[in-house]
Amino acid sequence: MSFKDKVIYQAYTKSFNDTDGNGLGDLKGVTEKLPYLEKVGIDMVWLNPFYPSPQNDNGHHLADYTATYPTYGTMEDLEEMIAEGEKHGIQFMLDLVLNHTSTDHEWFQKALAGDKKYQDYYILREAPEGQELPTNWESKFGGSAWNQFGDTNKYYLCLYDKTQADLNWRNPEVREEAAKVVRFWMDKGVKGFRFDVINVIGKDEELVNSTGNIEQEKRLYTDKPIVHDYLQELNRNSFGQDPEIITVGEMSSTTIESSIGYSHPDNDELTMVFSFHHLKVDYEDGEKWSKTDFDFLELKKIMNDWQIGLGENGGWNALFWNNHDQPRVVNRFGDAENYREKSATNQAHILHFMQGTPYIYMGEEIGMTDPGFTEMDQYVDIESINAYKNLEDKGLPHDEIMDILASKSRDNSRIPIQWNAEAHAGFTDGEPWLQVADNYPEINVEKELESGEIFPYYQKLIQLRKEREVIRTGRYVPMFLEHEQVWAYRRIAEDEEIITFANFYGEPLSLDISQEVEEGHWTYLFGNYGNKDFNKVLELEPYEAISFERKK
Ligand code: GLC
């Protein structure tokens, strides 16, 4: 099976399934749910970090790359999970954070203690004369990107939290350590790697001030050409040795051009890329911590550009609406209140008929929603807590800030998955580390399996992808680009073609497709309102999505 045939499921380990009652999900919990995951129909599970970490950023800064954190389980639990996975046809993708380590990592601690070898593992600089800090760069989680290195006159770079110290990839020893880490997990039978913010590993030797404009600043350390060299080297020295392995790079503020480079098979870098531009269409003037309507035309344009940009140039997209850093897309671009099921299936339909590898974020397959937290003490996420302080400093009233957090916080998707209607949604017998959503008695896996419409919809979408070459590899050609309510496109293969129409809103509409689609032998393939005949004028219900096919 090629990576083009696969569908990947993301489990936020900490919130997936707790088997020992400590309120945190664990590896045994993943093993326990393998039959469920098999039922969804997915091929691989991407597990968010379960390694030793002080957890300031929930595990996205490792204190040890080749161990498990005891609260998540032991190495034996992991081996068992992989072995059991095999029986269910499920492989595993690990989340590796190679741009930075935790400041608790032995390397950083040795560096602090004065060990020169390990000091060269990090990016340490003095402030030039006349400046307080080495550069004026901002950390992505707020504040300066530099923090004092012990009691020296040096500073270490931390593009994220101050407990996440950026590694010095210019040092060949660091690159060899990274390859060693990947090989360690390959030996355990891991068949996939998701590389956290991997396109910011290539910092220049000389770091310079930005103009203060955040977009210009990001260009100073993002997508530098040398990232390609580092990825090729890592590929050669580790995962490239096993053709079965799938890799995906999380690409922060990347471009289509760079992403073709990262994912083109001839370059021997990665299998595919995550990009995020489509999830910024509800930012006001590029500011995440704002509340504004999403821009539908922009959303379509971005997805189309990436479909065509990568599709026509040998790159490969990772397709996704949700992940652990994003609020639920049903709330964002759908209508979670009045049309939860239909918006969930509509969004799934649009994504799963595209070219690329679909990722399903846990709970998406049952239409989980944002929990609508109203109190600050319900939030755990460091980025959200920092955002509160920043917005408060800017003078925003408390209620307004809470409103913004409720729509943008990463905790929206990090809440435990809702398994059933029992206490804490069946996630744990203890106290969950993050509160579950109040709606779990109505929205949960058990209920969805009995009578829901979203779960079977996902199953069918996955099945269709497996059956039809055109869904996997057909050309993507958009239609109705300027239509303010409809998302439509063709997928074209040599002997088969599929056309998809989706009403992205809650008002019904009639769509005259005669100018765009020639008549002839189109038959109904799949849709969230059931079978309909092909017609020159399509009547689309609220959040309806429908596809027709024809053989050539
Ligand atoms: C990635 C992760 C995110 C984390 C950040 C820093 O964006 O997905 O959760 O906070 O990297 O590691």
Side-chain angles (χ1 to χ4, degrees):
M1 215 202 286
S2 136
F3 66 89
K4 297 190 175 172
D5 307 342
K6 296 197 176 173
V7 176
I8 301 177
Y9 186 94
Q10 181 190 355
Y12 198 61
T13 320
K14 202 167 181 173
S15 297
F16 189 66
N17 182 26
D18 177 23
T19 56
D20 59 9
N22 66 356
L24 300 156
D26 43 50
L27 297 170
K28 274 194 158 69
V30 178
T31 308
E32 192 176 270
K33 296 293 183 186
L34 283 167
Y36 170 73
L37 294 167
E38 185 179 357
K39 195 177 274 181
V40 183
I42 53 93
D43 305 282
M44 184 173 266
V45 177
W46 154 24
L47 283 183
N48 282 118
F50 50 76
Y51 323 94
S53 161
Q55 301 288 316
N56 303 32
D57 189 22
N58 279 346
H60 272 103
H61 51 147
L62 279 53
D64 186 343
Y65 282 100
T66 53
T68 62
Y69 195 41
T71 43
Y72 292 120
T74 61
M75 200 55 91
E76 289 70 47
D77 294 341
L78 179 116
E79 284 158 5
E80 192 192 337
M81 178 189 80
I82 292 173
E84 284 300 306
E86 223 166 282
K87 296 183 195 156
H88 294 272
I90 291 176
Q91 299 180 322
F92 288 91
M93 170 181 272
L94 298 199
D95 197 335
L96 285 183
V97 189
L98 299 173
N99 174 64
H100 45 265
T101 71
S102 161
T103 48
D104 281 7
H105 195 289
E106 193 187 6
W107 302 337
F108 194 83
Q109 289 302 319
K110 284 189 173 160
L112 265 185
D115 190 328
K116 292 271 178 296
K117 169 180 156 85
Y118 289 102
Q119 286 182 352
D120 199 30
Y121 272 38
Y122 294 92
I123 301 177
L124 305 180
R125 297 283 191 280
E126 288 174 17
E129 250 192 61
Q131 252 177 236
E132 257 176 57
L133 296 165
T135 69
N136 61 349
W137 298 1
E138 287 268 320
S139 132
K140 303 203 182 224
F141 291 166
S144 168
W146 295 97
N147 210 47
Q148 194 177 2
F149 184 64
D151 54 9
T152 70
N153 61 352
K154 288 192 171 158
Y155 296 84
Y156 64 91
L157 181 69
C158 44
L159 287 178
Y160 293 85
D161 183 55
K162 61 176 188 294
T163 60
Q164 296 170 300
D166 282 60
L167 282 164
N168 175 19
W169 274 71
R170 297 199 153 263
N171 179 349
E173 286 183 71
V174 166
R175 304 203 295 274
E176 179 45 29
E177 295 275 14
K180 228 159 87 185
V181 167
V182 176
R183 290 196 300 264
F184 174 88
W185 293 110
M186 283 168 63
D187 287 346
K188 297 268 173 223
V190 169
K191 292 293 181 189
F193 294 96
R194 177 259 186 194
F195 296 113
D196 194 76
V197 292
I198 200 71
N199 63 331
V200 301
I201 56 176
K203 277 93 174 177
D204 288 341
E205 183 85 71
E206 193 192 340
L207 305 176
V208 296
N209 281 334
S210 73
T211 59
N213 172 297
I214 190 67
E215 290 312 313
Q216 188 261 348
E217 184 167 308
K218 283 182 195 164
R219 305 270 55 96
L220 297 176
Y221 56 76
T222 306
D223 276 344
K224 291 275 166 179
I226 202 161
V227 175
H228 297 289
D229 299 347
Y230 293 159
L231 288 174
Q232 283 162 17
E233 184 182 319
L234 186 65
N235 177 312
R236 223 172 22 246
N237 293 337
S238 61
F239 56 83
Q241 295 161 9
D242 177 352
E244 218 193 324
I245 288 183
I246 294 179
T247 53
V248 55
E250 185 201 24
M251 301 303 175
S252 161
S253 302
T254 188
T255 61
I256 290 180
E257 199 194 342
S258 298
S259 293
I260 295 167
Y262 297 132
S263 61
H264 197 297
D266 290 351
N267 291 357
D268 290 327
E269 295 182 30
L270 303 173
T271 320
M272 63 184 102
V273 293
F274 281 123
S275 65
F276 296 90
H277 302 283
H278 65 300
L279 296 176
K280 295 183 179 171
V281 297
D282 56 357
Y283 289 11
E284 203 171 72
D285 301 326
E287 171 55 44
K288 164 170 173 166
W289 301 104
S290 59
K291 209 177 162 186
T292 184
D293 284 343
F294 72 96
D295 184 337
F296 176 58
L297 290 181
E298 185 64 15
L299 173 63
K300 265 199 307 187
K301 181 179 179 329
I302 293 169
M303 294 285 264
N304 284 326
D305 288 351
W306 280 79
Q307 281 291 297
I308 295 166
L310 266 58
E312 310 263 295
N313 294 293
W316 196 253
N317 281 294
L319 302 169
F320 73 107
W321 284 126
N322 297 290
N323 72 20
H324 64 291
D325 292 328
Q326 302 289 336
R328 293 278 177 186
V329 79
V330 179
N331 290 79
R332 261 175 125 166
F333 307 150
D335 182 345
E337 219 159 286
N338 304 304
Y339 291 106
R340 186 180 64 88
E341 285 97 337
K342 292 298 181 211
S343 14
T345 47
N346 173 285
Q347 294 165 343
H349 192 117
I350 291 169
L351 195 94
H352 282 253
F353 273 95
M354 286 186 175
Q355 192 196 76
T357 298
Y359 285 68
I360 300 168
Y361 180 68
M362 61 170 205
E364 182 183 316
E365 74 281 13
I366 63 162
M368 271 177 65
T369 62
D370 291 344
F373 289 161
T374 52
E375 304 297 330
M376 236 10 244
D377 62 12
Q378 293 174 298
Y379 290 100
V380 173
D381 172 32
I382 187 166
E383 188 201 31
S384 308
I385 292 167
N386 289 349
Y388 185 96
K389 288 187 218 132
N390 290 340
L391 294 172
E392 200 180 33
D393 288 348
K394 283 190 189 151
L396 257 74
H398 172 79
D399 290 352
E400 209 175 302
I401 305 179
M402 294 313 291
D403 227 31
I404 293 175
L405 284 185
S407 71
K408 292 284 168 66
S409 169
R410 306 194 295 182
D411 280 341
N412 280 311
S413 56
R414 295 178 178 188
I415 58 168
I417 184 165
Q418 294 157 207
W419 291 108
N420 55 42
E422 288 163 27
H424 307 309
F427 162 68
T428 178
D429 293 336
E431 273 304 308
W433 72 279
L434 185 66
Q435 204 178 314
V436 299
D438 291 341
N439 61 14
Y440 73 86
E442 294 86 52
I443 303 171
N444 61 63
V445 169
E446 198 175 286
K447 199 160 167 211
E448 183 68 22
L449 289 177
E450 269 164 34
S451 57
E453 63 179 271
I454 305 171
F455 187 88
Y457 208 82
Y458 271 86
Q459 284 180 310
K460 180 73 184 181
L461 287 172
I462 295 171
Q463 186 199 331
L464 285 171
R465 171 168 295 262
K466 304 230 175 267
E467 286 167 6
R468 283 177 172 68
E469 179 66 31
V470 60
I471 300 181
R472 299 193 293 270
T473 57
R475 269 182 60 220
Y476 175 96
V477 181
M479 295 186 281
F480 293 103
L481 265 182
E482 297 305 320
H483 199 291
E484 296 194 347
Q485 200 178 335
V486 170
W487 198 324
Y489 55 85
R490 293 168 181 257
R491 298 296 311 282
I492 306 170
E494 230 163 75
D495 52 358
E496 200 184 356
E497 192 170 342
I498 292 177
I499 44 177
T500 293
F501 301 91
N503 175 2
F504 211 64
Y505 287 90
E507 293 79 41
L509 83 139
S510 299
L511 186 70
D512 182 346
I513 59 170
S514 52
Q515 296 297 314
E516 293 268 0
V517 183
E518 55 296 348
E519 284 187 59
H521 304 303
W522 292 103
T523 55
Y524 170 81
L525 174 59
F526 191 45
N528 61 355
Y529 280 80
N531 197 342
K532 275 191 179 173
D533 286 340
F534 179 80
N535 218 315
K536 273 201 305 213
V537 178
L538 286 178
E539 302 297 335
L540 293 174
E541 300 295 330
Y543 295 101
E544 177 161 6
I546 189 163
S547 294
F548 299 95
E549 67 178 334
R550 71 169 173 192
K551 306 272 180 227
K552 289 193 202 159

